Amino acid sequence: MGSWYEGPLAAFDTETTGVDVETDRIVSAALVVQDAPGSRPRVTRWLVNPGVPVPAAATRVHGLTDEHLQRNGRWPAPVMYEVAQALAEQARVGRPVVVMNAPFDLTLLDRELRRHRASSLGRWFERSPLLVLDPWVLDKHLDRYRKGRRTLTDLCAYYEVPLEGAHEAAADAVAALEVARAVGRRFASRLERLSPGELHTLQALWHAAQARGLQSWFARTGTEEVVDPAWPLRPDLPAAA
């Protein structure tokens, strides 16, 4: 049986109104499915009218304006249902899903489901767990002493993966998928015997350790930022008293 990085993979990505998973909104999303390395991926795209203004800073990143989203985007409630359903289908068939910086995209989706569907992402995976591969966590653990940034653009450059149309959800998802395959091949001796389920569990541990290290560094430098160790989904914030 071949290794996970040579088999079927999916990848998921979003574009948003900002970087706060609790308050920002999804404006576009994409799921790509690739049956084998080198095969043409099947792409599903969603465009969302978030119902709130899109900050100019966000538009400068992904190019999606209020006017474009109001004219062409769909209301969030049905879109979030379709996205969750599509991810649940990947879980049902046991296909791993690549999500770069998974706690960001998956937590945003969870909050959107809570906001618009009175639901949660976890409910969709009660029968079949979602198996996540996070290139950021994998690369940082397997090559932890390499200096430099590890954004998707940086990882694509390092692993020689083409990235055309960065900050478009489908383009980013395809690139993240190829980075995950490249990481698997480069570190085959450490990864090839691990199943996606085993790797999912290990990534949660690796991410928590990475978060603790970053939190310690922040403490030494006097930075007040808090690093959440949860992966691949941050827990819901408790309701205010």
Side-chain angles (χ1 to χ4, degrees):
M1 185 174 181
S3 300
W4 58 265
Y5 50 85
E6 300 296 355
L9 292 178
F12 176 67
D13 189 70
T14 66
E15 298 299 331
T16 69
T17 60
V19 297
D20 188 331
V21 297
E22 302 299 338
T23 60
D24 280 305
R25 309 297 177 90
I26 293 172
V27 296
S28 70
L31 178 72
V32 304
V33 177
Q34 188 181 49
D35 294 325
S39 66
R40 181 184 293 275
R42 301 186 297 278
V43 180
T44 305
R45 293 179 172 87
W46 294 270
L47 193 65
V48 186
N49 178 353
V52 300
V54 180
T59 296
R60 285 194 293 271
V61 172
H62 50 57
L64 298 171
T65 65
D66 278 330
E67 181 181 9
H68 180 76
L69 293 171
Q70 289 169 10
R71 288 186 176 181
N72 302 286
R74 298 167 57 204
W75 289 113
V79 171
M80 301 312 152
Y81 180 91
E82 290 174 14
V83 171
Q85 187 177 49
L87 290 174
E89 175 61 17
Q90 307 312 306
R92 188 187 68 80
V93 300
R95 186 181 294 116
V97 179
V98 177
V99 190
M100 176 74 182
N101 189 16
F104 178 78
D105 294 87
L106 296 183
T107 304
L108 260 168
L109 176 58
D110 175 77
R111 303 313 190 249
E112 290 279 53
L113 286 166
R114 294 171 186 269
R115 185 177 294 123
H116 298 290
R117 303 289 311 190
S119 182
S120 69
L121 189 58
R123 291 181 185 177
W124 287 88
F125 306 115
E126 290 174 345
R127 294 186 178 181
S128 302
L130 184 67
L131 303 176
V132 178
L133 300 171
D134 189 334
W136 191 88
V137 174
L138 292 170
D139 173 75
K140 191 170 179 62
H141 176 78
L142 295 164
D143 199 357
R144 67 183 67 184
Y145 299 113
R146 189 178 82 248
K147 297 185 183 299
R149 290 158 49 88
R150 298 178 193 247
T151 66
L152 179 59
T153 300
D154 298 316
L155 294 186
C156 284
Y158 183 73
Y159 287 99
E160 300 181 343
V161 170
L163 175 55
E164 300 178 2
H167 300 298
E168 191 274 325
D172 286 356
V174 170
L177 187 152
E178 294 299 340
V179 168
R181 291 198 190 279
V183 171
R185 293 177 186 125
R186 181 163 300 188
F187 297 98
S189 62
R190 300 166 66 180
L191 295 177
E192 62 184 354
R193 296 185 180 180
L194 294 172
S195 70
E198 292 169 330
L199 196 52
H200 181 102
T201 300
L202 287 171
Q203 285 172 102
L205 298 174
W206 296 343
H207 181 272
Q210 292 161 7
R212 289 193 298 269
L214 183 56
Q215 193 71 75
S216 296
W217 185 82
F218 281 157
R220 292 194 301 271
T221 58
T223 303
E224 296 183 357
E225 184 174 347
V226 176
V227 184
D228 196 322
W231 183 97
L233 179 67
R234 297 177 188 173
D236 192 26
L237 290 178

